[in-house]
Amino acid sequence: MSEQTERSVVVERTGGGRFVATNARGGSISFGTSPESGQDSGFTPVELFLAAIGGCTAVDVDIATARHAEPARFSVTVRGDKVSDDLGNRLTNLEVAFTVDFPDGEGAERARAILPRAVKASHDRLCTVSRTVETGTPVTTTVTEA
C-alpha cells in the first residue's frame, strides 16, 4: 500500500484580517493579523509557522523518548527575528530550544540519554517542516478565478 504524499489545507477569509485554515480531515485553526493592529490574541501566520516547526520536532522527540519515560515537563520554544531587507520579509536566526525533564523512575535515564540524539535526528532528517525550510523548497503561486 502506498502512502498518499500530498498534504493540503484551505485558507478562507472569515473577516477583516481574520482567516481559518481547514485540513482534509476537517480540523481547523483560526488566525489573522497581529495583536498590534487591535485584533485579538490569536496566532499570526508567522507564529503558526514557528508553531509548525516546534510541533513537528516535538512530535519526533516525544515519540523517541516517551516510550521509555513519561516527561514531567516537555516544552519547545521556537524563536526567530523578523526582518525586511532586499530579500523581502522573512525570519532569520531561527532557534528551537527543548526543555525536557524526566522524573526519576524506570526508563528515565534511557529517555535522558536518547533526548540529544532524538533532537538531532529530528533536525537532521525527520521534521518535515524544518527540513523544508532548510532545504529551501520553492513556493509557487497561482490565481484561480472563482
Side-chain angles (χ1 to χ4, degrees), residues 58-78:
V59 167
D60 293 339
V61 173
D62 187 52
I63 288 170
T65 59
R67 70 179 79 159
H68 300 284
E70 187 66 23
R73 179 172 182 208
F74 191 111
S75 175
V76 181
T77 302
V78 185

Side-chain angles (χ1 to χ4, degrees), residues 25-105:
R25 296 175 312 283
S28 65
I29 187 165
S30 298
F31 62 96
T33 34
S34 66
E36 296 95 77
S37 65
Q39 296 292 327
D40 64 29
S41 60
F43 279 83
T44 67
V46 170
E47 291 164 338
L48 287 176
F49 173 74
L50 295 173
I53 292 172
C56 183
T57 193
V59 167
D60 293 339
V61 173
D62 187 52
I63 288 170
T65 59
R67 70 179 79 159
H68 300 284
E70 187 66 23
R73 179 172 182 208
F74 191 111
S75 175
V76 181
T77 302
V78 185
R79 63 154 309 279
D81 299 316
K82 186 174 178 185
V83 299
S84 182
D85 58 18
D86 293 344
L87 297 175
N89 295 342
R90 59 195 172 89
L91 291 174
T92 62
N93 304 318
L94 291 171
E95 296 176 0
V96 179
F98 280 82
T99 304
V100 182
D101 182 43
F102 297 99
D104 291 335

Side-chain angles (χ1 to χ4, degrees), residues 132 136-144:
T132 300
T137 303
V139 176
T140 59
T141 59
T142 61
V143 176
T144 305

